[in-house]
Amino acid sequence: MLLSRRATLLGLGLTATLGNVRFALADAPTDKRFVVVLQRGALDGMSAVVPYGDANLASLRPALIPPAPGQPGGMFDLGGFFGLSPNFPNLAAMYQSGEMLPIHAVAGPYRTRSHFEAQDLLQIGTDDTSITSGWLNRALAEMPRRDGGSYLGLNAGLGMPLLLQGPVYVDSYAPEHFAEPSPDLLARIAALNSADPLLQPAIAEGIQAANFDKSVMSGNAAATPGADAMSQNSGGAAGSGGNIMSDDRARVPGDVPKTPGGFPALATQIGQLLAADGGPRIAVFQLEGWDTHGNQVNGLKRPMTGLDAGLLNLKTALGPAWAQTCVLVITEFGRTARMNGTKGTDHGTAAAAFVLGGAVQGGRVVASWPGLSDSQLYQNRDLAPTLDIRAVAKGALAQHLGLSGAALARVFPGSGDVSPLGGIIRTA
Amino acid sequence: MAIAASRFGFGFGPQDDPGSDPRAWLKAQLQGPDPGLESGAFAGLPTGGQAVDTLKADAVARKAFLAANPSGQGQFHGQSGPNARADATAQLNFAATTPFSFRERLVWFWANHFSVSAQQNQAGAFIGPMLREAIRPHVTGNFTDMVLAVERHPAMLRYLDNDVSFGPDSRAGLRTGRGLNENLGRECMELHTVGLAAGYTQADVTAMANILTGWSIATSDKGADATGFFYRPFAHEPGPQTVLGRQFDGGEQAGIDALTFLSTYPTTYDLLARKLVTQFVADTPPPEAVARISGVLRETQGDLGATSTALVDLPQAWVPGQKLKTPFDYVLSTMRAAPPPPDQKPPDIMGILNQLGQPVWGAPLPNGWPDQAANWAGSDAVMARIDWAYTYSSRFADAGEDPMQLADNALGPLLRPDTQAAMGSAGSPREAMTLFLTAPEFQRR
């Protein structure tokens, strides 16, 4: 491990830090990796996993159906009834190799068509709005703590999603761009914030995590005591002068690197962190771009291909650890079964979800298909839900992370009538 | 005084002269027309209508360019992008320098309430005009007027797809087969006015979307008004519609009547009050403060000037440090506390906010940016802020400014002895600046 000046000068001595990481390595409570990808904005499940075998589909949404399997630009067949979007070639390959499991007609326990309420409820994992923590944070609370103080949970990005909010501290990672203060100055900043209940833990964790991240990103995940850290950490302050804003990042208003576009790169970095010994084990991504009210076929290309590329990058970066990985891709609700007046879809109910990873028993579709006739649609409008999204999450937490039934009841309060979905994870 | 400037405004700067009565200083900012519009700082920026024309001209020119460059050589650049950047820059610079920063915070608060993202549908071309034409004129006026101006502005019509929504039984709908898009109908109820607490149904949403059909955008030669709004009667769904139990007859007037109804609905006032108190008091808004503000809105039928005055009079708003600054607050308050030395290249506020995770006019979803600490206090967010503070402080390496004086001006009695001591023993002006800008009393507001 390359120790930065930050760490040494802060008194996070070489031995102590390395000791912690090594100890964590030896004593990690789990080697399983669990990743959640939140698709904010409501994915049109029937565009992602197309029920082309349902005779009612064509009349509901004639302009939204990709060419049939085998046609140029056609969907990937998933066993004769469902087809995977042609925007998902990498996911299709994972399906072929038995490590991708599409799940259809799935929804949360709420029937709101409000993005914002539904996203909150999806993340707190219940329709009881008096609960303010996320279900994944509560799941972290059920897992054994690591000795050595390194954290299991990681948020990919700057904004902490509700899914990870709660009493268990969760780290966050985003690529750095600014100059960095010297370790000595950072220590004084930390001291000035030592009484602040929000800023103190954030800074303390930031300092510790920066050291770990740097060592992993520089390709030196294995600890290398005594390596010279200066070369890794000296770039920030130098050369910034008064012209820090002269970089070439886009300056169009609102022009942030779009999450789906930026997801492939971020997925590689997070994958490296998850792969590392002593690294985080649970991570959350948030992707936008799914709220396709108009010209949906075009509008879904970019977020879908970004998702597809990023998931492949995640797999590649995880390397051998992919075999111990389970990724859950979920959205707050689905969209209308019928195409709206602008070749898009409005807010609906049931959607599709994906579970993937080397640990996943994939290569098949899980769906109790509700049908698409007028009377089969929910309120003659939306794909009707036949599976509770909590059943999927509970199944993954139980089979992959080993949470007990009692633990699952605490993670998803009031869900006693929702049994964990079986068969998600391969049995050795 | 420091509380007045940071809780209500964007932080204290050398341009501020509050006198001895901070409440009176804040309330005086609510008098008269919008200081930004009055100042001439936005002179030469396009109207909404001009922005529509420019976007159309860009599309025509792009087509010609591509026809002349079939091999795809070179890249076409229209005028809409530069205009939008100039607009954002002008309005950000005004926010960073205005002596009316309470009034200005209200402008950005309402712009975020009616969030439009430049990420979608080329709506970015119209956001600057929307702030100047639909938000600024009504910040101390009536909420209904603001709602009516915003919902018919090209920025909102484009962002939430209403410009392409057709009544299924309208003449244009029947002829072209195009139909309803309920995006604006839903969000104007859920986010802008009555909220989910009103208990409306899917049928209400569909009805509201039907009512708004025909509200669209056109170029000036097609007869659009100065903001670029154009009503298409042939796209309007004929017949009466019922929203929350109230029936509205057809036509353009139905939309005005329905939005007026929604904007004065009781739950609208509760929603607005809760949001205002969250912004100006605390992340967990005290119920009595919410009730007070909601009451003022109800009594005055949505008078935003009276409501803003009532915010100043809330005793709960004067407890220091209850709010963590968002990146937007943090960057603007830094620019005010320590203005960039005039001989240097101006900071690129948009680029900075991109990197700090809160791009200007770029909230990912129509509910805008959150302003609660839990959303911005992740370790990487805080570390990025510290790194930026250190980067920005490099501007003061030899600028001749006394960091201690700047800190004292900005924070007054809130500046803690610990921070002063650390700044006093700092190794350089840049380090002293960094310690000032990263001290908790400056990171909070």
Side-chain angles (χ1 to χ4, degrees):
Chain A
M1 167 175 280
L2 292 169
L3 262 193
S4 68
R5 287 178 298 159
R6 265 186 194 176
T8 44
L9 291 175
L10 280 170
L12 302 173
L14 191 69
T15 321
T17 303
L18 285 176
N20 285 348
V21 174
R22 282 181 161 169
F23 197 45
L25 185 161
D27 217 31
T30 174
D31 284 329
K32 303 282 172 56
R33 275 74 168 176
F34 184 61
V35 177
V36 177
V37 178
L38 288 174
Q39 296 173 297
R40 288 184 184 264
L43 164 74
D44 181 40
M46 292 204 292
S47 286
V49 180
V50 186
Y52 72 87
D54 191 308
N56 289 306
L57 182 72
S59 62
L60 287 170
R61 39 168 63 204
L64 304 185
I65 307 169
Q71 302 284 316
M75 47 190 144
F76 302 98
D77 192 30
L78 303 176
F81 185 85
F82 294 106
L84 189 67
S85 166
N87 295 318
F88 289 147
N90 295 311
L91 287 178
M94 292 185 207
Y95 178 91
Q96 284 300 324
S97 57
E99 53 194 26
M100 200 281 277
L101 178 66
I103 298 176
H104 221 318
V106 63
Y110 42 83
R111 291 295 171 265
T112 173
R113 293 190 183 96
S114 156
H115 286 304
F116 317 107
E117 187 180 54
Q119 286 174 20
D120 284 357
L121 296 176
L122 174 70
Q123 296 182 75
I124 63 176
T126 158
D127 53 4
D128 176 357
T129 51
S130 68
I131 293 175
T132 56
S133 60
W135 60 259
L136 194 51
N137 191 285
R138 296 195 297 275
L140 281 165
E142 298 291 344
M143 296 173 62
R145 291 302 302 266
R146 266 183 179 158
D147 294 324
S150 60
Y151 295 97
L152 286 176
L154 183 71
N155 171 42
L158 292 173
M160 185 68 70
L162 181 54
L163 184 62
L164 284 171
Q165 290 180 24
V168 178
Y169 189 87
V170 172
D171 197 6
S172 62
Y173 172 82
E176 294 176 53
H177 301 290
F178 297 125
E180 292 169 33
S182 68
D184 168 69
L185 180 56
L186 204 50
R188 282 177 282 152
I189 292 169
L192 280 180
N193 283 279
S194 60
D196 192 291
L198 281 172
L199 297 168
Q200 183 277 330
I203 294 171
E205 175 54 23
I207 289 171
Q208 195 184 359
N211 300 326
F212 183 81
D213 297 347
K214 282 197 179 77
S215 70
V216 174
M217 294 307 161
S218 60
N220 291 283
T224 315
D228 175 16
M230 296 303 185
S231 60
Q232 287 301 308
N233 198 39
S234 61
S240 59
N243 290 326
I244 55 143
M245 307 313 157
S246 62
D247 69 20
D248 58 2
R249 293 171 67 81
R251 288 182 191 80
V252 180
D255 193 4
V256 70
K258 269 198 152 182
T259 313
F263 174 58
L266 190 58
T268 295
Q269 294 167 325
I270 297 294
Q272 290 171 346
L273 288 171
L274 289 170
D277 293 331
R281 289 294 174 261
I282 290 178
V284 174
F285 295 90
Q286 306 172 71
L287 307 189
E288 267 109 23
W290 311 100
D291 193 18
T292 48
H293 285 276
N295 288 326
Q296 173 171 305
V297 171
N298 247 334
L300 277 176
K301 268 183 196 154
R302 184 183 165 119
M304 279 185 163
T305 51
L307 174 69
D308 188 64
L311 290 172
L312 177 63
N313 286 357
L314 188 67
K315 172 181 173 171
T316 306
L318 276 161
W322 177 250
Q324 303 182 75
T325 297
C326 172
V327 182
L328 190 57
V329 184
I330 53 177
T331 191
E332 70 261 29
F333 49 67
R335 309 190 68 84
T336 47
R338 291 184 191 85
M339 188 171 81
N340 70 9
T342 54
K343 293 195 169 63
T345 47
D346 293 317
H347 302 184
T349 304
F354 296 99
V355 191
L356 57 148
V360 172
Q361 188 176 324
R364 65 208 165 93
V365 179
V366 169
S368 173
W369 189 245
L372 295 175
S373 71
D374 287 359
S375 62
Q376 288 169 326
L377 293 177
Y378 177 70
Q379 297 181 346
N380 188 17
R381 171 186 165 101
D382 308 332
L383 180 63
T386 55
L387 180 63
D388 192 311
I389 190 74
R390 294 172 298 176
V392 181
K394 284 169 113 173
L397 292 178
Q399 297 156 43
H400 191 58
L401 298 179
L403 263 62
S404 68
L408 290 176
R410 288 188 290 270
V411 172
F412 292 101
S415 71
D417 54 337
V418 179
S419 306
L421 179 68
I424 294 177
I425 300 298
R426 236 177 257 284
T427 46
Chain B
M1 187 54 57
I3 300 173
S6 66
R7 179 60 58 81
F8 291 94
F10 287 124
F12 192 81
Q15 62 277 63
D16 291 322
D17 180 14
S20 59
D21 184 348
R23 284 177 179 77
W25 174 64
L26 292 170
K27 290 176 186 176
Q29 296 185 31
L30 302 172
Q31 304 303 313
D34 179 77
L37 296 175
E38 291 292 296
S39 71
F42 311 140
L45 294 170
T47 63
Q50 289 165 340
V52 175
D53 289 352
T54 302
L55 200 62
K56 178 73 196 274
D58 283 348
V60 171
R62 175 178 286 109
K63 210 169 167 185
F65 174 86
L66 292 175
N69 297 274
S71 59
Q73 293 290 309
Q75 209 182 349
F76 176 80
H77 295 284
Q79 192 53 45
S80 295
N83 285 355
R85 287 191 288 278
D87 213 323
T89 302
Q91 300 204 50
L92 289 167
N93 285 343
F94 182 77
T97 54
T98 176
F100 301 89
S101 82
F102 174 34
R103 181 77 170 254
E104 190 65 13
R105 176 181 283 281
L106 288 165
V107 169
W108 291 85
F109 170 85
W110 290 112
N112 190 55
H113 177 73
F114 295 103
S115 181
V116 173
S117 170
Q119 300 276 2
Q120 284 184 23
N121 302 348
Q122 299 180 304
F126 310 123
I127 303 174
M130 183 184 99
L131 261 69
R132 288 181 282 105
E133 295 166 350
I135 303 285
R136 291 185 181 276
H138 304 296
V139 156
T140 57
N142 189 276
F143 180 65
T144 298
D145 293 335
M146 189 186 284
V147 169
L148 289 172
V150 168
E151 309 297 2
R152 57 195 278 136
H153 199 276
M156 192 61 79
L157 294 171
R158 179 54 79 88
Y159 175 51
L160 294 180
D161 306 306
N162 207 71
D163 58 332
V164 293
S165 178
F166 286 73
D169 300 317
S170 66
R171 279 172 59 180
L174 290 171
R175 195 182 69 241
T176 63
R178 302 222 267 177
L180 201 62
N181 183 313
E182 65 179 39
N183 208 2
L184 179 61
R186 179 183 301 278
E187 305 304 8
C188 80
M189 295 180 75
E190 177 178 343
L191 300 176
H192 302 163
T193 60
V194 299
L196 294 173
Y200 54 80
T201 65
Q202 177 60 41
D204 291 312
V205 171
T206 306
M208 191 62 209
N210 276 323
I211 287 171
L212 292 175
T213 49
W215 287 38
S216 190
I217 301 171
T219 48
S220 53
D221 59 344
K222 297 282 192 331
D225 74 12
T227 67
F229 173 80
F230 184 67
Y231 178 68
R232 301 181 191 279
F234 295 155
H236 184 70
E237 179 71 3
Q241 301 285 341
T242 301
V243 176
L244 285 169
R246 179 76 62 97
Q247 182 174 312
F248 300 94
D249 299 330
E252 181 185 355
Q253 188 62 36
I256 296 170
D257 293 344
L259 288 170
T260 302
F261 169 67
L262 294 175
S263 67
T264 55
Y265 202 76
T267 55
T268 299
Y269 295 141
D270 297 336
L271 182 148
L272 298 181
R274 191 173 174 79
K275 216 163 164 178
L276 282 162
V277 173
T278 301
Q279 169 103 175
F280 287 98
V281 177
D283 286 0
T284 306
E288 60 277 17
V290 176
R292 168 76 189 128
I293 297 303
S294 181
V296 172
L297 281 162
R298 213 178 314 267
E299 288 153 22
T300 63
Q301 291 281 294
D303 181 331
L304 298 181
T307 304
S308 304
T309 301
L311 286 168
V312 174
D313 287 330
L314 286 175
Q316 299 95 331
W318 294 82
V319 181
Q322 295 195 105
K323 295 286 295 183
L324 184 74
K325 290 175 180 173
T326 65
F328 187 81
D329 293 331
Y330 186 69
V331 170
L332 280 188
S333 63
T334 299
M335 301 290 163
R336 294 177 70 84
D343 55 337
Q344 295 177 7
K345 183 182 172 187
D348 170 17
I349 300 179
M350 272 182 281
I352 297 164
L353 286 170
N354 282 354
Q355 293 190 55
L356 292 179
Q358 194 181 17
V360 178
W361 301 341
L365 288 168
N367 56 346
W369 294 112
D371 79 336
Q372 286 102 328
N375 299 98
W376 301 109
S379 71
D380 256 37
V382 171
M383 296 307 281
R385 185 181 293 213
I386 290 172
D387 288 350
W388 175 70
Y390 175 67
T391 308
Y392 184 75
S393 296
S394 72
R395 290 171 173 268
F396 299 87
D398 293 304
E401 301 274 1
D402 177 4
M404 196 72 85
Q405 188 63 49
L406 292 172
D408 192 46
N409 288 346
L411 294 171
L414 298 180
L415 182 62
R416 298 176 310 157
D418 284 359
T419 305
Q420 286 177 301
M423 290 177 67
S425 58
S428 69
R430 180 184 187 177
E431 287 195 2
M433 266 321 265
T434 308
L435 290 164
F436 156 40
L437 296 175
T438 57
E441 60 265 41
F442 188 76
Q443 296 208 54
R444 292 174 170 272
R445 51 175 273 256

